Structure formats: C-alpha cells, structure tokens
Amino acid sequence: MDKKDDRPILVTGAAGAVGAIGRNVTTTLLARGFYVRALVRREDDRSAALRDLGAEVVVADLTDLPSMHRAIEGVSRIYFGMSVSPSYLEATVNTAAIARHHGVEVFVNMSQMTVSQMSITETTDSPQQKQHWLAEQALQWSGLPVVTVRPTVFMEGFFLFFAAAGVRENDELILPLGNSITSPISSIDIADAVSTILAEPTPYIGRIYNLTGQVTADLHHYAKNFSDALGRTIRYRDVPIAAWADKLRERGVPAHVISHLATMAKLHQQGRYNRLTDDFAELVGREPTSMHQFVKLHAKEFSR
C-alpha cells in the first residue's frame, strides 16, 4: 500500500487486554504496511510481542507532558483510546494539546455510543461516561482534525470476559441485563473500522461513527447463538446488578470499573442499548461479526 510519507501512526493502548482495540489496530496497520509507534505503559511480554511484529514501541504516560511529547513528535496520525480510568479526561486533553502542538493530520478518538444520548443537561451515573462526553466537547473545541468512533457494548466484555465461566461451568449466559435488547460488536471489528480511517483519514475528518453489531436482539437470542455455535443448550439467566457487582469486587475489579459496568447494565435494562446502525458496513465494506461467529472463534474458552 502506498503511503504519503514514512512518519509513523501513533496507537495508544497498544498492549491492552480486554477489548484490545489498540493492539488489534497495531497489528492491522503493520500488516497493511504502515509504520506504527505503539504506546505502552511498561515494558513486558506484550510490548516485546509488538516490537517483534515490527512496531516502534514507546513507553509513555498519557497524563505526562514530557513522555507524550516523545510519543507524538514526528507522528502523522493518532489513534486515542484508553481503558476505564479516573484519569481519562486528563489523558484525553493532555494528548490532544500535544497533538495540536505537533500538527497531526488526524486524531481518531475512541468514545462510546452512550455519548449520543447525553447533553449539557443530561449525563449518566457513570463517571466514565460523563468523562467521555466531556472529552468529546474538549476535542471539538480543540480545532484538531478529529474522527469520533462510538461503539456499543463489546462482545469481549460482557459476552466473553464476564460470561465465559458461567457458560463453561453451568451452560448459562449469566448477565445482569434483564429483558434488554442490545447490539454488541466485536473489538476486532472496531479495530478494523479505526484502521480504515487511519489508512486514509481525509474523507472521515469531522464525522462521528456509531458502531453496532449485525442485529439488535434480546439475551435469549444471543443464548441461542451460543447454543448453535457450541452444540449444547445455553440458557440466559438474568441476575441482579448488585449481586453481579459483588462478584466483580471479589475478583478484584477496581471500584470505578464496577461503577461503570453497573451503569451499563442499568442502561441496558432501560432500553438505552437498543441501537442499530450501518456505520460499520459503510466504513469497512462488510457486515460486522455475528455473535455465532464470535462464539465459534472463542469456543475453547466456553468449553468444559
């Protein structure tokens, strides 16, 4: 693939775990022949793996000015994504200020779909979601060439990381989502959308993309997808949000993350995730991964 120049693309969160959009964006861009500067918080096996793939690895703190100057100086484009964190807003503004100073071509911001239902007078109970809304406002004021990506709930979170044990041990999809209807999307698909934007950003600057899965359906529908993919009956079992949150607390999940996830569950029950768009297909030129395909891909983690 022809490139405008040899300047790298900066990818934050490149060593991420759950979701791992940054890591998948790094892998995809490298495979397409782009130079990638992968930002990580520390040197470890994950950063070594990125370096082995051909990425330029830089250790930096998104909230630290000197280290972010080192990370951004000389790059052409930026993907900005960060896991749930009390410092999210500070990190966004810090990165944006330095990006503007260095004159980047595009700033692709990973937000979330709940922001589309928020306003100057209405937010949610999740501090993280409020920070995402505020971050979008700050980026709009910044004058940067921004593309905003707002995915719905990740398959890798509620339907893998938090659900695998129940499916594996009890043949149950155990989630606190009530009778909600939802449209989860795979983080690999989100990474494909981001990579498409970064590869040739000009047509997308200033736009917002709300990314959903193929269908919007209830949890019994997705339990049937699990059944069909695994070849055994999987049933959906709703659980109270408080009890589910207690289980997360026992697993050592940080309090601010639990607060965010509990709010997501509550918003599901209120029907706020019943959304369906064609934005992914418009960007990438294919349909997003179905739940059946996703479960087949991760079948080992659901197997007894």
Side-chain angles (χ1 to χ4, degrees):
M1 179 177 289
D2 292 334
K3 300 185 287 292
K4 287 183 178 180
D5 54 48
D6 292 339
R7 293 181 297 165
I9 298 171
L10 178 68
V11 176
T12 73
V18 179
I21 295 173
R23 188 175 70 235
N24 288 320
V25 169
T26 299
T27 302
T28 300
L29 289 175
L30 288 170
R32 293 184 183 185
F34 288 91
Y35 301 102
V36 178
R37 183 176 293 172
L39 189 152
V40 301
R41 289 184 293 176
R42 65 183 68 88
E43 290 281 5
D44 56 20
D45 291 344
R46 293 177 299 175
S47 62
L50 293 169
R51 193 175 281 110
D52 289 343
L53 288 172
E56 174 194 351
V57 175
V58 57
V59 178
D61 178 346
L62 292 169
T63 65
D64 178 68
L65 278 168
S67 68
M68 288 307 295
H69 273 290
R70 292 195 302 272
I72 293 175
E73 185 174 10
V75 305
S76 58
R77 306 162 192 175
I78 294 176
Y79 162 70
F80 178 82
M82 185 181 185
S83 58
V84 178
S85 168
S87 302
Y88 175 83
L89 182 58
E90 179 187 359
T92 304
V93 175
N94 190 65
T95 305
I98 300 169
R100 180 173 177 174
H101 174 79
H102 289 284
V104 300
E105 295 174 4
V106 67
F107 189 105
V108 180
N109 175 46
M110 181 56 56
S111 187
Q112 53 187 298
M113 192 172 292
T114 46
V115 172
S116 64
Q117 300 171 336
M118 298 166 66
S119 71
I120 194 67
T121 59
E122 185 176 358
T123 182
T124 76
D125 294 334
S126 165
Q128 181 72 21
Q129 290 176 340
K130 181 181 180 182
Q131 286 189 78
H132 272 274
W133 184 83
L134 288 169
E136 284 198 24
Q137 308 311 301
L139 289 172
Q140 183 179 347
W141 304 331
S142 73
L144 281 167
V146 175
V147 183
T148 301
V149 180
R150 294 174 176 168
T152 184
V153 62
F154 293 3
M155 290 180 179
E156 285 78 2
F158 280 88
F159 292 87
L160 178 59
F161 186 76
F162 298 124
V167 173
R168 187 170 56 246
E169 298 167 10
N170 303 310
D171 290 336
E172 290 181 323
L173 184 60
I174 305 170
L175 292 170
L177 303 183
N179 297 318
S180 64
I181 296 175
T182 188
S183 55
I185 186 169
S186 168
S187 65
I188 294 176
D189 287 342
I190 301 168
D192 279 352
V194 170
S195 299
T196 297
I197 295 167
L198 288 167
E200 187 55 57
T202 303
Y204 311 114
I205 290 173
R207 299 188 63 179
I208 297 172
Y209 291 92
N210 295 292
L211 305 183
T212 70
Q214 279 191 24
V215 300
T216 182
D218 65 20
L219 277 294
H220 299 289
H221 172 90
Y222 294 121
K224 186 177 187 306
N225 289 163
F226 273 76
S227 300
D228 294 342
L230 298 175
R232 65 184 200 270
T233 300
I234 308 297
R235 294 180 175 84
Y236 169 56
R237 176 159 67 90
D238 180 38
V239 292
I241 294 174
W244 186 74
D246 286 341
K247 292 291 185 182
L248 297 184
R249 201 168 289 109
E250 291 172 6
R251 293 172 62 176
V253 177
H256 65 276
V257 177
I258 294 173
S259 174
H260 174 61
L261 294 170
T263 299
M264 288 182 69
K266 180 180 177 181
L267 294 175
H268 266 87
Q269 294 180 6
Q270 295 173 356
R272 301 275 289 274
Y273 280 84
N274 184 8
R275 304 281 300 283
L276 193 64
T277 77
D278 295 324
D279 287 7
F280 176 81
E282 177 188 335
L283 269 172
V284 181
R286 65 171 175 85
E287 289 297 310
T289 303
S290 69
M291 184 65 75
H292 182 274
Q293 292 169 325
F294 178 79
V295 175
K296 291 285 284 186
L297 180 65
H298 296 280
K300 286 185 178 180
E301 295 173 76
F302 299 115
S303 298
R304 293 175 174 175

